[in-house]
mmCIF file with all atom_site columns, all heavy atoms in Angstrom:
data_model
loop_
_atom_site.group_PDB
_atom_site.id
_atom_site.type_symbol
_atom_site.label_atom_id
_atom_site.label_alt_id
_atom_site.label_comp_id
_atom_site.label_asym_id
_atom_site.label_entity_id
_atom_site.label_seq_id
_atom_site.pdbx_PDB_ins_code
_atom_site.Cartn_x
_atom_site.Cartn_y
_atom_site.Cartn_z
_atom_site.occupancy
_atom_site.B_iso_or_equiv
_atom_site.pdbx_formal_charge
_atom_site.auth_seq_id
_atom_site.auth_comp_id
_atom_site.auth_asym_id
_atom_site.auth_atom_id
_atom_site.pdbx_PDB_model_num
ATOM 1   N N   . CYS A 1 52 ? 11.797 -30.211 -1.960  1.00 94.00 ? 52 CYS A N   1
ATOM 2   C CA  . CYS A 1 52 ? 12.831 -29.288 -2.440  1.00 94.00 ? 52 CYS A CA  1
ATOM 3   C C   . CYS A 1 52 ? 12.989 -29.397 -3.953  1.00 94.00 ? 52 CYS A C   1
ATOM 4   O O   . CYS A 1 52 ? 13.102 -28.388 -4.648  1.00 94.00 ? 52 CYS A O   1
ATOM 5   C CB  . CYS A 1 52 ? 14.170 -29.569 -1.765  1.00 94.00 ? 52 CYS A CB  1
ATOM 6   S SG  . CYS A 1 52 ? 14.303 -28.968 -0.076  1.00 94.00 ? 52 CYS A SG  1
ATOM 7   N N   . LEU A 1 53 ? 12.990 -30.617 -4.441  1.00 94.00 ? 53 LEU A N   1
ATOM 8   C CA  . LEU A 1 53 ? 13.100 -30.811 -5.893  1.00 94.00 ? 53 LEU A CA  1
ATOM 9   C C   . LEU A 1 53 ? 11.905 -30.221 -6.627  1.00 94.00 ? 53 LEU A C   1
ATOM 10  O O   . LEU A 1 53 ? 12.051 -29.634 -7.702  1.00 94.00 ? 53 LEU A O   1
ATOM 11  C CB  . LEU A 1 53 ? 13.247 -32.296 -6.228  1.00 94.00 ? 53 LEU A CB  1
ATOM 12  C CG  . LEU A 1 53 ? 14.580 -32.923 -5.843  1.00 94.00 ? 53 LEU A CG  1
ATOM 13  C CD1 . LEU A 1 53 ? 14.544 -34.427 -6.091  1.00 94.00 ? 53 LEU A CD1 1
ATOM 14  C CD2 . LEU A 1 53 ? 15.726 -32.284 -6.595  1.00 94.00 ? 53 LEU A CD2 1
ATOM 15  N N   . VAL A 1 54 ? 10.726 -30.346 -6.053  1.00 93.00 ? 54 VAL A N   1
ATOM 16  C CA  . VAL A 1 54 ? 9.532  -29.744 -6.654  1.00 93.00 ? 54 VAL A CA  1
ATOM 17  C C   . VAL A 1 54 ? 9.718  -28.236 -6.756  1.00 93.00 ? 54 VAL A C   1
ATOM 18  O O   . VAL A 1 54 ? 9.459  -27.633 -7.804  1.00 93.00 ? 54 VAL A O   1
ATOM 19  C CB  . VAL A 1 54 ? 8.266  -30.088 -5.837  1.00 93.00 ? 54 VAL A CB  1
ATOM 20  C CG1 . VAL A 1 54 ? 7.090  -29.228 -6.266  1.00 93.00 ? 54 VAL A CG1 1
ATOM 21  C CG2 . VAL A 1 54 ? 7.926  -31.566 -5.970  1.00 93.00 ? 54 VAL A CG2 1
ATOM 22  N N   . LYS A 1 55 ? 10.204 -27.617 -5.694  1.00 93.00 ? 55 LYS A N   1
ATOM 23  C CA  . LYS A 1 55 ? 10.390 -26.165 -5.705  1.00 93.00 ? 55 LYS A CA  1
ATOM 24  C C   . LYS A 1 55 ? 11.469 -25.758 -6.708  1.00 93.00 ? 55 LYS A C   1
ATOM 25  O O   . LYS A 1 55 ? 11.318 -24.782 -7.433  1.00 93.00 ? 55 LYS A O   1
ATOM 26  C CB  . LYS A 1 55 ? 10.745 -25.655 -4.311  1.00 93.00 ? 55 LYS A CB  1
ATOM 27  C CG  . LYS A 1 55 ? 10.854 -24.142 -4.265  1.00 93.00 ? 55 LYS A CG  1
ATOM 28  C CD  . LYS A 1 55 ? 10.902 -23.608 -2.862  1.00 93.00 ? 55 LYS A CD  1
ATOM 29  C CE  . LYS A 1 55 ? 10.921 -22.079 -2.877  1.00 93.00 ? 55 LYS A CE  1
ATOM 30  N NZ  . LYS A 1 55 ? 10.808 -21.530 -1.524  1.00 93.00 ? 55 LYS A NZ  1
ATOM 31  N N   . ILE A 1 56 ? 12.563 -26.499 -6.748  1.00 92.00 ? 56 ILE A N   1
ATOM 32  C CA  . ILE A 1 56 ? 13.641 -26.203 -7.698  1.00 92.00 ? 56 ILE A CA  1
ATOM 33  C C   . ILE A 1 56 ? 13.115 -26.256 -9.126  1.00 92.00 ? 56 ILE A C   1
ATOM 34  O O   . ILE A 1 56 ? 13.360 -25.358 -9.936  1.00 92.00 ? 56 ILE A O   1
ATOM 35  C CB  . ILE A 1 56 ? 14.820 -27.178 -7.506  1.00 92.00 ? 56 ILE A CB  1
ATOM 36  C CG1 . ILE A 1 56 ? 15.517 -26.892 -6.176  1.00 92.00 ? 56 ILE A CG1 1
ATOM 37  C CG2 . ILE A 1 56 ? 15.801 -27.079 -8.683  1.00 92.00 ? 56 ILE A CG2 1
ATOM 38  C CD1 . ILE A 1 56 ? 16.475 -27.982 -5.733  1.00 92.00 ? 56 ILE A CD1 1
ATOM 39  N N   . MET A 1 57 ? 12.376 -27.312 -9.448  1.00 89.00 ? 57 MET A N   1
ATOM 40  C CA  . MET A 1 57 ? 11.844 -27.448 -10.804 1.00 89.00 ? 57 MET A CA  1
ATOM 41  C C   . MET A 1 57 ? 10.810 -26.371 -11.108 1.00 89.00 ? 57 MET A C   1
ATOM 42  O O   . MET A 1 57 ? 10.797 -25.812 -12.208 1.00 89.00 ? 57 MET A O   1
ATOM 43  C CB  . MET A 1 57 ? 11.232 -28.839 -11.011 1.00 89.00 ? 57 MET A CB  1
ATOM 44  C CG  . MET A 1 57 ? 12.264 -29.940 -11.058 1.00 89.00 ? 57 MET A CG  1
ATOM 45  S SD  . MET A 1 57 ? 13.591 -29.669 -12.262 1.00 89.00 ? 57 MET A SD  1
ATOM 46  C CE  . MET A 1 57 ? 12.677 -29.524 -13.773 1.00 89.00 ? 57 MET A CE  1
ATOM 47  N N   . ASP A 1 58 ? 9.968  -26.054 -10.150 1.00 86.00 ? 58 ASP A N   1
ATOM 48  C CA  . ASP A 1 58 ? 8.977  -24.995 -10.354 1.00 86.00 ? 58 ASP A CA  1
ATOM 49  C C   . ASP A 1 58 ? 9.660  -23.670 -10.646 1.00 86.00 ? 58 ASP A C   1
ATOM 50  O O   . ASP A 1 58 ? 9.248  -22.934 -11.540 1.00 86.00 ? 58 ASP A O   1
ATOM 51  C CB  . ASP A 1 58 ? 8.058  -24.849 -9.147  1.00 86.00 ? 58 ASP A CB  1
ATOM 52  C CG  . ASP A 1 58 ? 6.987  -25.918 -9.080  1.00 86.00 ? 58 ASP A CG  1
ATOM 53  O OD1 . ASP A 1 58 ? 6.821  -26.663 -10.073 1.00 86.00 ? 58 ASP A OD1 1
ATOM 54  O OD2 . ASP A 1 58 ? 6.315  -26.016 -8.043  1.00 86.00 ? 58 ASP A OD2 1
ATOM 55  N N   . GLN A 1 59 ? 10.716 -23.348 -9.888  1.00 86.00 ? 59 GLN A N   1
ATOM 56  C CA  . GLN A 1 59 ? 11.430 -22.096 -10.109 1.00 86.00 ? 59 GLN A CA  1
ATOM 57  C C   . GLN A 1 59 ? 12.118 -22.081 -11.466 1.00 86.00 ? 59 GLN A C   1
ATOM 58  O O   . GLN A 1 59 ? 12.090 -21.079 -12.175 1.00 86.00 ? 59 GLN A O   1
ATOM 59  C CB  . GLN A 1 59 ? 12.458 -21.861 -9.006  1.00 86.00 ? 59 GLN A CB  1
ATOM 60  C CG  . GLN A 1 59 ? 11.842 -21.475 -7.690  1.00 86.00 ? 59 GLN A CG  1
ATOM 61  C CD  . GLN A 1 59 ? 12.875 -21.203 -6.621  1.00 86.00 ? 59 GLN A CD  1
ATOM 62  O OE1 . GLN A 1 59 ? 14.061 -21.478 -6.782  1.00 86.00 ? 59 GLN A OE1 1
ATOM 63  N NE2 . GLN A 1 59 ? 12.419 -20.670 -5.506  1.00 86.00 ? 59 GLN A NE2 1
ATOM 64  N N   . LYS A 1 60 ? 12.726 -23.189 -11.828 1.00 84.00 ? 60 LYS A N   1
ATOM 65  C CA  . LYS A 1 60 ? 13.429 -23.274 -13.114 1.00 84.00 ? 60 LYS A CA  1
ATOM 66  C C   . LYS A 1 60 ? 12.443 -23.135 -14.272 1.00 84.00 ? 60 LYS A C   1
ATOM 67  O O   . LYS A 1 60 ? 12.690 -22.379 -15.217 1.00 84.00 ? 60 LYS A O   1
ATOM 68  C CB  . LYS A 1 60 ? 14.184 -24.604 -13.205 1.00 84.00 ? 60 LYS A CB  1
ATOM 69  C CG  . LYS A 1 60 ? 14.886 -24.840 -14.506 1.00 84.00 ? 60 LYS A CG  1
ATOM 70  C CD  . LYS A 1 60 ? 16.000 -23.862 -14.719 1.00 84.00 ? 60 LYS A CD  1
ATOM 71  C CE  . LYS A 1 60 ? 16.747 -24.196 -16.009 1.00 84.00 ? 60 LYS A CE  1
ATOM 72  N NZ  . LYS A 1 60 ? 17.623 -23.115 -16.414 1.00 84.00 ? 60 LYS A NZ  1
ATOM 73  N N   . LEU A 1 61 ? 11.350 -23.860 -14.193 1.00 78.00 ? 61 LEU A N   1
ATOM 74  C CA  . LEU A 1 61 ? 10.368 -23.813 -15.267 1.00 78.00 ? 61 LEU A CA  1
ATOM 75  C C   . LEU A 1 61 ? 9.684  -22.445 -15.336 1.00 78.00 ? 61 LEU A C   1
ATOM 76  O O   . LEU A 1 61 ? 9.426  -21.920 -16.412 1.00 78.00 ? 61 LEU A O   1
ATOM 77  C CB  . LEU A 1 61 ? 9.341  -24.926 -15.094 1.00 78.00 ? 61 LEU A CB  1
ATOM 78  C CG  . LEU A 1 61 ? 9.895  -26.339 -15.271 1.00 78.00 ? 61 LEU A CG  1
ATOM 79  C CD1 . LEU A 1 61 ? 8.859  -27.370 -14.868 1.00 78.00 ? 61 LEU A CD1 1
ATOM 80  C CD2 . LEU A 1 61 ? 10.366 -26.581 -16.692 1.00 78.00 ? 61 LEU A CD2 1
ATOM 81  N N   . ALA A 1 62 ? 9.429  -21.852 -14.181 1.00 75.00 ? 62 ALA A N   1
ATOM 82  C CA  . ALA A 1 62 ? 8.806  -20.526 -14.155 1.00 75.00 ? 62 ALA A CA  1
ATOM 83  C C   . ALA A 1 62 ? 9.758  -19.486 -14.737 1.00 75.00 ? 62 ALA A C   1
ATOM 84  O O   . ALA A 1 62 ? 9.330  -18.570 -15.429 1.00 75.00 ? 62 ALA A O   1
ATOM 85  C CB  . ALA A 1 62 ? 8.407  -20.156 -12.736 1.00 75.00 ? 62 ALA A CB  1
ATOM 86  N N   . LYS A 1 63 ? 11.037 -19.644 -14.460 1.00 75.00 ? 63 LYS A N   1
ATOM 87  C CA  . LYS A 1 63 ? 12.036 -18.724 -14.993 1.00 75.00 ? 63 LYS A CA  1
ATOM 88  C C   . LYS A 1 63 ? 12.035 -18.769 -16.517 1.00 75.00 ? 63 LYS A C   1
ATOM 89  O O   . LYS A 1 63 ? 12.274 -17.774 -17.182 1.00 75.00 ? 63 LYS A O   1
ATOM 90  C CB  . LYS A 1 63 ? 13.418 -19.081 -14.465 1.00 75.00 ? 63 LYS A CB  1
ATOM 91  C CG  . LYS A 1 63 ? 14.513 -18.087 -14.883 1.00 75.00 ? 63 LYS A CG  1
ATOM 92  C CD  . LYS A 1 63 ? 15.863 -18.521 -14.393 1.00 75.00 ? 63 LYS A CD  1
ATOM 93  C CE  . LYS A 1 63 ? 16.079 -17.995 -12.997 1.00 75.00 ? 63 LYS A CE  1
ATOM 94  N NZ  . LYS A 1 63 ? 17.451 -18.194 -12.523 1.00 75.00 ? 63 LYS A NZ  1
ATOM 95  N N   . ASN A 1 64 ? 11.760 -19.909 -17.052 1.00 73.00 ? 64 ASN A N   1
ATOM 96  C CA  . ASN A 1 64 ? 11.715 -20.090 -18.503 1.00 73.00 ? 64 ASN A CA  1
ATOM 97  C C   . ASN A 1 64 ? 10.321 -19.846 -19.067 1.00 73.00 ? 64 ASN A C   1
ATOM 98  O O   . ASN A 1 64 ? 10.040 -20.206 -20.200 1.00 73.00 ? 64 ASN A O   1
ATOM 99  C CB  . ASN A 1 64 ? 12.180 -21.497 -18.880 1.00 73.00 ? 64 ASN A CB  1
ATOM 100 C CG  . ASN A 1 64 ? 13.639 -21.713 -18.582 1.00 73.00 ? 64 ASN A CG  1
ATOM 101 O OD1 . ASN A 1 64 ? 14.430 -20.786 -18.629 1.00 73.00 ? 64 ASN A OD1 1
ATOM 102 N ND2 . ASN A 1 64 ? 14.007 -22.930 -18.252 1.00 73.00 ? 64 ASN A ND2 1
#
Side-chain angles (χ1 to χ4, degrees):
C52 283
L53 289 174
V54 167
K55 184 167 184 173
I56 291 166
M57 290 307 302
D58 282 349
Q59 287 182 350
K60 177 66 176 167
L61 293 171
K63 185 183 273 189
N64 293 330

